[in-house]
Amino acid sequence: ANLSDANLTNANLRNANLRGADLFRANLSDANLNGADLRGRNLTNTNLSNANLNGADLSGTNLRGANLFRTDLINANLSGADLSRANMFKVTATNLRGCPRFLPQGWICENNSLIYFGRGY
């Protein structure tokens, strides 16, 4: 499905299989993506602010430049994901099932959690 640039604000996509979906620049703010399968998707510049990605599979996903402001990534699988240049202000990311390949400057993945050690927060 081509969902690029789609407005999916407040959508309930809990446990959805989105592996074939094109979500480039989609607006998924406040969406429930709890347990969703987003493996290998291109979420470049996607708005995921306030989204619930608890337990979601984001392995190999491109989240470069995505807006993850106040996003819940608890128990998510971020193995091999690209979060470079993502807005990660107030992200909650603990008990991860894998660490991202790339993170924004100032972030590390340690003890299955994303930790900000830079300045400015």
Side-chain angles (χ1 to χ4, degrees):
N2 183 0
L3 299 172
S4 60
D5 295 308
N7 184 355
L8 298 168
T9 302
N10 292 310
N12 184 0
L13 298 168
R14 182 181 179 99
N15 296 316
N17 182 346
L18 297 167
R19 286 197 63 205
D22 180 359
L23 295 160
F24 177 72
R25 284 190 321 238
N27 184 352
L28 289 158
S29 61
D30 298 298
N32 182 1
L33 293 154
N34 185 314
D37 186 348
L38 293 156
R39 286 179 282 174
R41 294 297 84 219
N42 181 7
L43 300 176
T44 302
N45 298 325
T46 298
N47 184 0
L48 290 158
S49 62
N50 296 304
N52 178 0
L53 287 159
N54 190 321
D57 191 345
L58 296 156
S59 56
T61 298
N62 184 351
L63 290 154
R64 188 179 187 105
N67 182 2
L68 299 172
F69 175 73
R70 291 188 188 211
T71 298
D72 176 0
L73 292 166
I74 296 170
N75 298 313
N77 183 353
L78 293 172
S79 298
D82 182 353
L83 284 97
S84 56
R85 295 191 324 210
N87 172 8
M88 298 196 22
F89 187 65
K90 297 194 176 186
V91 163
T92 305
T94 57
N95 298 319
L96 299 176
R97 292 180 283 139
C99 287
R101 185 171 183 188
F102 301 106
L103 284 164
Q105 187 173 17
W107 286 85
I108 60 170
C109 186
E110 186 175 276
N111 297 323
N112 297 319
S113 298
L114 297 184
I115 301 163
Y116 183 72
F117 66 89
R119 298 182 196 150
Y121 274 121

